[in-house]
Amino acid sequence: MVFFIMIVVLLTFTALWNFDLQKLFRVKSVTQNSGDAAALMAARWQAISLNLAGDINLLQVIALSEGDTAALGAISNLQARLRFTGPMTAMLASQQAAKNNGLHVNPEYTAFLHEHAVRVREEYPTAVGADGEMLFPEPWPGAWQVYSRMIETVADDGVAAAPDNMRLYSDHDTGGHMLYDVGFYEAIAGRNWCWFHFNAPTLLEDYVNFFPAWWPPLPEPPRSDVSNSEFYGLRLDSTVRSMEGFGLTADEVAGRATERGLSGVVNETGMTTDVAWVVYDGSWGAWDAASTSGEYPFPFSGSVRDVYNYAGADAAVRVEATAGRLTPGGGGASISNTLTWTSAAKPFGSLEGEQLPTAYRLVLPAFSDVRLIPVDTSSAPAAGGFNLAWREHIEQHLPGYMEDGPFSTPSSCWYCRQLRRWEEVGFRQTGADWLRLNSDQCRPTGGGGGGGSGGSRRGH
Ligand SMILES: [Zn+2]
């Protein structure tokens, strides 16, 4: 009888465990598929928007040539707006792609976006910096109202796939201060002493405990460009000059216009008048994050082809799903696992003759494809732009930490807990001792104990 009961109990647990495992696999595949689909969809709309910006440039030559002032007014209006409507359409479409692949709305993501819409509407139009200048000058009159409504529209439908390369205008520069560097926290959590060896060789020995705070004061957030959307921004700029100034001839421009199905003449006036054109901004240089040479080479098996070797607009996505377990945990508590998946995609294309799309700096219709890219080669910051816990830590906990020390901050915050551990003299001593003997074993692609997220970020 006892034997029989034992067998039954064992079998029950095996069945429950097996069910949980299957469920976890299924949820994992849902997060991967929907994350990838959302990233591809967002990049697709970035490509469409970039091509539209190119079309607008071509239309402007034609309008100039034909002396159509009404069209010219409409075009200059569109130039500024497209940088918001294009990316926000990408954001909306990527939600749909994630949902179509079985992902549910994430209430935290949705709440964050709702709050941000309110902030854009109420704070952006009036915020003034320390120098008395407007912090967020409107790209066109009434822009923040329109932008806020677009954000609200996305939030009203529910957010499933968060834009992980989101860069809010008020965001801190992640390189500006050690406490803004997520690698620092991960190095503490994982006892990754090699991280210190490469990034802050003397910090373990130099640091002095509170009070007062040993750290330099937290820097003010830098003033950022507000002419591109905070979500899936196209990274465009505008410049005033003549079309000729970009090194294109009238025939070439006319040819491109015909290719895009835009009819009209291109003449001397169109080519030589100085007006504002949509151009690529400085971030569209070489794709350094994907470079296979240099100090931190990306572990691609071959180098990126010249024609695709540009950075610029891309889309990184973060999705989460929770799988509840049937197998009871300690004390009969129910357990659930949260799975996070990040994924990135990028618009690709070239001008004829395998020229880079950025060859003339002027935006021309050139994007014909989108591909998934490794998240580490995307413009998403190391901690993730939509990592809400990290955001809360930076914005709300760090100022208190600097004032009142490591034990004034909430222990519910993972990052604050790392700062408490950092405060232990013995902990830092262990690291310094280890490095004194073993620093020659450190390799830039990981080494040591690995980061909090499981080893090196390179190659993900
Ligand atoms: Zn914190």
Side-chain angles (χ1 to χ4, degrees):
M1 189 68 174
V2 168
F3 180 73
F4 182 71
I5 290 173
M6 270 173 65
I7 294 285
V8 167
V9 168
L10 268 176
L11 277 177
T12 313
F13 268 90
T14 312
L16 286 179
W17 181 78
N18 190 43
F19 180 85
D20 285 346
L21 198 67
Q22 295 299 330
K23 188 174 175 191
L24 216 58
F25 278 135
R26 194 171 50 79
V27 173
K28 188 162 192 217
S29 111
V30 166
T31 54
Q32 295 189 354
N33 285 338
S34 45
D36 290 355
L40 283 168
M41 185 56 94
R44 173 73 65 195
W45 274 97
Q46 285 183 316
I48 293 170
S49 312
L50 287 164
N51 286 341
L52 267 173
D55 286 340
I56 290 176
N57 278 336
L58 294 173
L59 278 171
Q60 185 162 253
V61 193
I62 295 172
L64 281 171
S65 302
E66 298 181 349
D68 189 341
T69 44
L72 285 171
I75 285 169
S76 74
N77 208 341
L78 269 176
Q79 285 178 335
R81 285 165 193 258
L82 183 68
R83 290 189 223 171
F84 288 85
T85 49
M88 291 311 290
T89 312
M91 177 102 151
L92 202 60
S94 76
Q95 303 311 319
Q96 205 51 54
K99 290 170 193 169
N100 287 352
N101 279 278
L103 199 70
H104 296 293
V105 166
N106 183 316
E108 278 179 47
Y109 291 175
T110 309
F112 178 86
L113 220 59
H114 266 301
E115 281 164 28
H116 188 64
V118 173
R119 233 178 112 197
V120 170
R121 188 173 59 236
E122 290 175 1
E123 292 176 25
Y124 280 19
T126 51
V128 173
D131 52 5
E133 304 251 333
M134 296 293 292
L135 270 181
F136 314 113
E138 286 192 316
W140 73 89
W144 297 146
Q145 300 300 322
V146 176
Y147 181 44
S148 159
R149 268 203 301 281
M150 290 193 279
I151 299 173
E152 215 156 27
T153 307
V154 176
D156 284 347
D157 279 355
V159 181
D164 212 27
N165 58 343
M166 166 175 86
R167 178 115 175 68
L168 301 184
Y169 301 142
S170 55
D171 273 356
H172 292 277
D173 205 345
T174 45
H177 197 286
M178 185 60 72
L179 294 171
Y180 289 162
D181 188 343
V182 74
F184 171 63
Y185 300 86
E186 291 182 343
I188 297 172
R191 296 174 169 257
N192 182 354
W193 310 122
C194 283
W195 184 91
F196 290 96
H197 177 65
F198 287 114
N199 296 282
T202 60
L203 185 64
L204 284 163
E205 280 165 4
D206 290 353
Y207 183 79
V208 184
N209 278 11
F210 275 81
F211 286 86
W214 176 87
W215 304 105
L218 297 172
E220 287 285 304
R223 202 168 266 274
S224 49
D225 160 58
V226 299
S227 62
N228 282 288
S229 162
E230 294 165 310
F231 315 93
Y232 302 139
L234 300 174
R235 297 163 178 256
L236 298 179
D237 204 348
S238 85
T239 189
V240 175
R241 67 162 74 163
S242 69
M243 177 56 104
E244 237 175 22
F246 291 105
L248 283 149
T249 65
D251 283 347
E252 280 172 335
V253 175
R256 279 172 209 283
T258 319
E259 247 171 55
R260 296 290 292 178
L262 309 169
S263 57
V265 289
V266 175
N267 61 20
E268 180 79 19
T269 324
M271 293 300 291
T272 54
T273 314
D274 283 349
V275 280
W277 302 94
V278 183
V279 294
Y280 296 105
D281 79 6
S283 58
W284 285 83
W287 194 5
D288 291 332
S291 166
T292 51
S293 56
E295 199 181 350
Y296 299 110
F298 192 83
F300 273 140
S301 53
S303 55
V304 176
R305 281 175 60 194
D306 286 345
V307 61
Y308 300 132
N309 189 8
Y310 53 87
D314 58 10
V317 160
R318 166 183 296 252
V319 298
E320 271 176 38
T322 309
R325 282 202 221 168
L326 289 179
T327 323
S334 63
I335 312 179
S336 65
N337 296 81
T338 301
L339 299 174
T340 304
W341 179 254
T342 54
S343 168
K346 184 168 156 52
F348 285 102
S350 58
L351 298 170
E352 58 271 27
E354 299 234 317
Q355 271 182 316
L356 288 177
T358 54
Y360 298 97
R361 198 167 162 243
L362 179 78
V363 179
L364 292 165
F367 295 91
S368 50
D369 208 352
V370 289
R371 290 293 158 94
L372 288 172
I373 57 170
V375 176
D376 279 351
T377 63
S378 78
S379 60
F386 215 92
N387 181 342
L388 297 181
W390 170 247
R391 227 162 235 291
E392 189 181 339
H393 175 68
I394 294 264
E395 288 165 14
Q396 291 167 30
H397 303 163
L398 278 185
Y401 165 82
M402 296 292 283
E403 281 287 308
D404 304 317
F407 291 94
S408 66
T409 51
S411 59
S412 55
C413 169
W414 185 86
Y415 302 99
C416 287
R417 288 206 300 276
Q418 307 315 316
L419 290 178
R420 291 184 186 190
R421 164 129 26 122
W422 172 252
E423 203 71 3
E424 295 164 18
V425 179
F427 173 79
R428 299 197 304 270
Q429 194 56 51
T430 312
D433 291 345
W434 189 89
L435 276 182
R436 207 168 296 124
L437 296 172
N438 303 300
S439 61
D440 58 328
Q441 291 176 27
C442 291
R443 299 283 173 276
T445 46
S453 56
S456 160
R457 294 182 168 280
R458 298 298 289 167
H460 172 55

